[in-house]
Amino acid sequence: HNLEMKHLPGADPELVLLSHQYKELERIPLSDMTREEINQLVQELGFYRKETPDAPVPEEFQFAPAKPLPILLHPQALTTDGKTPPKRDKEEHPDL
């Protein structure tokens, strides 16, 4: 799941890992690896292997092997004691 094979004639085989924004993170050469070693590598990286091509993927593996994105807080989103301020009602203006 979340693994796409592209055959490029004349190119050495490699695994290209992309970020959630499709930016290249790493290239791993596969030429000197056996099929078993490649399967082990893919498992170690966290890819989910479906039982059959049309089998459902468990929810916890939908975005595997991607790691959850850190929650980015606005610099002023924390109070001086480092805690997140309470949520406001939609009608309440933040400046009031």
Side-chain angles (χ1 to χ4, degrees), residues 27-96:
R27 285 182 179 259
I28 302 170
L30 303 175
S31 323
D32 297 331
M33 297 176 77
T34 65
R35 181 184 189 111
E36 290 79 23
E37 290 171 327
I38 293 169
N39 285 336
Q40 183 178 354
L41 171 66
V42 169
Q43 274 191 314
E44 288 171 1
L45 289 171
F47 286 92
Y48 177 77
R49 184 176 184 142
K50 298 190 286 186
E51 294 293 324
T52 62
D54 59 341
V57 176
E59 188 174 333
E60 64 269 21
F61 292 105
Q62 287 294 319
F63 299 104
K67 307 293 183 256
L69 292 174
I71 298 174
L72 300 176
L73 295 174
H74 188 276
Q76 296 175 345
L78 297 177
T79 60
T80 54
D81 62 1
K83 296 180 180 175
T84 304
K87 292 186 178 185
R88 303 178 193 273
D89 290 337
K90 287 182 183 178
E91 276 78 59
E92 186 179 346
H93 192 279
D95 293 334
L96 298 179

